Amino acid sequence: MKCPYCNSPDTKVTDSRDTDDGTSIRRRRQCLACGRRFTTYETVEETQLRVIKKDGSRELFDRTKIRNGIIRACEKRNITSAQIEEVVNRIEKKIRNGLEPEVSTETIGRLVMDELKDLDQVAYVRFASVYREFKDIGSFMSELEALMNSHKGKDTPLSGRKDSHEH
């Protein structure tokens, strides 16, 4: 770190502590050439994640769009806001951990579908019907059959099975 007074590159850190809000580190430094002290702040630099849309255009990542899509798919289902927020957090974490500066809407859609498949099958089908843009009833039925086959034997809203503990 260059000294702001004499431009010497030789400085040392004399004290480090977190800021009150915990978003950065305050460092007190001393120039080894002129002896003057100064303060620097270290913060995390978040990358600007961009989304590649189907038409090839790009826009900044907005987790609100993911949340809104999930909320629409989960409408009138027994799913809490906290559950939806957890799903959105997991999806965003996976995207950011991918370390790529850009992500396609197709990738985001697959991540949402993977999460919804485990959360609620009806919400999954609702989201899939928009995301996959089914051209006809046959392609929609194929998706339903695949979902039902992947959940055979499980007590799910699509299987029509009742809890076997009832006597």
Side-chain angles (χ1 to χ4, degrees), residues 108-125:
I108 294 171
R110 279 195 308 275
L111 290 170
V112 171
M113 286 179 54
D114 288 346
E115 288 287 338
L116 288 179
K117 188 181 275 189
D118 294 333
L119 181 66
D120 185 272
Q121 287 77 43
V122 172
Y124 167 84
V125 171

Side-chain angles (χ1 to χ4, degrees), residues 144-162:
L144 279 177
E145 289 169 6
L147 180 63
M148 290 172 68
N149 289 335
S150 71
H151 285 84
K152 273 209 161 113
K154 296 180 183 177
D155 183 21
T156 66
L158 289 180
S159 68
R161 296 171 51 105
K162 297 277 185 206

Side-chain angles (χ1 to χ4, degrees), residues 58-150:
R58 285 160 169 75
E59 64 181 39
L60 289 177
F61 173 79
D62 181 1
R63 65 182 272 127
T64 305
K65 290 185 176 186
I66 294 172
R67 183 185 306 112
N68 290 343
I70 293 171
I71 288 170
R72 279 192 301 275
C74 294
E75 199 167 288
K76 296 185 181 177
R77 303 296 300 158
N78 192 21
I79 299 167
T80 66
S81 296
Q83 288 174 297
I84 291 172
E85 197 59 32
E86 288 172 16
V87 166
V88 174
N89 288 341
R90 282 194 299 270
I91 292 167
E92 183 175 11
K93 185 176 181 180
K94 287 176 186 174
I95 292 168
R96 292 199 183 274
N97 285 347
L99 302 178
E100 295 295 325
E102 296 183 330
V103 62
S104 69
T105 55
E106 289 81 14
T107 299
I108 294 171
R110 279 195 308 275
L111 290 170
V112 171
M113 286 179 54
D114 288 346
E115 288 287 338
L116 288 179
K117 188 181 275 189
D118 294 333
L119 181 66
D120 185 272
Q121 287 77 43
V122 172
Y124 167 84
V125 171
R126 287 177 178 168
F127 187 86
S129 68
V130 173
Y131 170 71
R132 293 252 171 99
E133 298 177 342
F134 296 120
K135 303 296 181 224
D136 55 37
I137 193 70
S139 57
F140 183 74
M141 289 304 295
S142 295
E143 183 70 31
L144 279 177
E145 289 169 6
L147 180 63
M148 290 172 68
N149 289 335
S150 71

